[in-house]
Amino acid sequence: MTGHESPAEALEDRRRPLYTIGQVAELLGTGQPAVRRLEDLHFVSPVRSEGGHRRYSREDLETLHEVTELSREGITPAGIHRILELRVRVRELEEELRTTRGGTPAPTGTGTGTGDRHP
């Protein structure tokens, strides 16, 4: 937490590294080795604490959840990477469209359904 950030603001920050690998594994219903493997496959890059421990953000957790769901559906890691890239691009294009329209919200049904999970 920075000197200018309240505790509530710190908790609202989706990119703040708050979770340990054990907590992430538990929340995902998987083991720590599986979480490490997803890191090795470059789906997330957790911050390291001063002691060298992995710290994951809520954004990382959301990404890992989506990756594990896609993997359970039989999609390969390369396919999952491509899906994530395309979802980011769709969000960028939707934002560009909103800007072009002068802030008018995009028509219903154009969202990716994933929230804002990926960098």
Side-chain angles (χ1 to χ4, degrees):
M1 188 167 65
T2 66
H4 305 298
E5 190 175 43
S6 75
E9 290 171 328
L11 289 173
E12 289 298 316
D13 182 356
R14 295 178 62 249
R15 294 185 176 173
R16 188 171 185 81
L18 299 172
Y19 303 96
T20 66
I21 191 169
Q23 291 168 321
V24 169
E26 183 178 340
L27 289 167
L28 293 175
T30 190
Q32 292 182 25
V35 176
R36 285 188 205 95
R37 173 142 170 75
L38 295 175
E39 179 185 349
D40 291 343
L41 291 170
H42 305 287
F43 287 110
V44 293
S45 296
V47 173
R48 296 285 182 152
S49 69
E50 288 182 24
H53 299 282
R54 292 170 175 84
R55 293 286 184 254
Y56 297 85
S57 67
R58 194 166 70 236
E59 187 173 81
D60 291 333
L61 183 59
E62 291 167 357
T63 297
L64 292 171
H65 174 73
E66 184 170 10
V67 168
T68 56
E69 290 300 311
L70 291 169
S71 179
R72 287 179 183 141
E73 292 177 20
I75 300 173
T76 66
I80 294 170
H81 274 291
R82 187 66 180 138
I83 288 168
L84 299 180
E85 290 168 3
L86 290 171
R87 287 182 178 169
V88 168
R89 184 65 181 137
V90 166
R91 281 195 305 275
E92 290 169 352
L93 290 170
E94 288 174 338
E95 182 58 33
E96 184 178 321
L97 184 59
R98 276 191 292 278
T99 301
T100 302
R101 290 182 174 174
T104 303
T108 305
T110 61
T112 61
T114 63
D116 192 23
R117 297 182 188 163
H118 310 288

